[in-house]
Amino acid sequence: MSELPSLPVTFRPGLTRVILLTAGVAIFATISGVALLLEQLGPGEKLSFVVTGALIFWVLAQLARVKVVADESGVTVVNIAGKRRLEWAEIIQVNLRPGDPWVFLNLSDGTSLPALGIQPGIAKRRAIADATALRALAEAHASHDPEQHQG
């Protein structure tokens, strides 16, 4: 088995994040600039352009915030609409199958949690390496969990 990453470790789609935030800034600047250059628009109309640009930037920033943070006590999954903290013992399996848009965590309660912080879209090799590292961490921590070996 390869060496485990040192904890804490954060997994996130770096290139995707850069693209989303850069696009958000560019869209906001363009829409705001157009609003300021169009002299026939009133103040309320100009403001609506700026607010629309800010809203688009906010949506792209929400898409860019996804990550998976692993530490000694467990994993925090930050997705678009929320954040969930998991103990290592709750993670049964880390899956990234061919064609999956992101990693899925199979949990001890029988559910599956998408972990958008590891996604093979633009950087497939990086996502596979990150998924492999998270899987190795989950397996290592599960085998050291005293509750796992009881009864």
Side-chain angles (χ1 to χ4, degrees):
M1 184 164 85
S2 63
E3 192 173 320
L4 294 176
S6 58
L7 296 176
V9 62
T10 300
F11 303 104
R12 66 171 23 134
L15 184 56
T16 300
R17 180 179 166 85
V18 168
I19 290 169
L20 288 169
L21 292 174
T22 302
V25 169
I27 290 169
F28 175 74
T30 301
I31 291 175
S32 298
V34 167
L36 297 174
L37 292 173
L38 292 175
E39 295 174 8
Q40 68 270 27
L41 295 180
E45 293 168 317
K46 288 182 180 192
L47 180 61
S48 70
F49 270 69
V50 172
V51 168
T52 299
L55 183 61
I56 292 169
F57 174 79
W58 180 82
V59 168
L60 293 175
Q62 293 304 301
L63 293 171
R65 73 188 275 267
V66 299
K67 64 183 175 181
V68 177
V69 180
D71 59 35
E72 289 297 332
S73 62
V75 174
T76 302
V77 177
V78 179
N79 286 333
I80 296 166
K83 180 163 103 169
R84 182 163 175 196
R85 178 74 185 160
L86 301 166
E87 300 298 319
W88 284 112
E90 293 178 81
I91 302 171
I92 303 298
Q93 189 176 33
V94 177
N95 285 320
L96 180 59
R97 297 175 301 254
D100 280 351
W102 39 71
V103 162
F104 288 92
L105 304 177
N106 290 341
L107 305 179
S108 59
D109 65 2
T111 63
S112 182
L113 176 68
L116 280 62
I118 303 175
Q119 50 183 267
I122 296 173
K124 187 174 183 177
R125 275 190 251 160
R126 165 96 186 265
I128 291 169
D130 288 352
T132 302
L134 184 59
R135 181 180 299 124
L137 286 167
E139 289 171 358
H141 283 84
S143 65
H144 291 88
D145 183 5
E147 292 180 20
Q148 197 88 355
H149 298 293
Q150 291 179 354

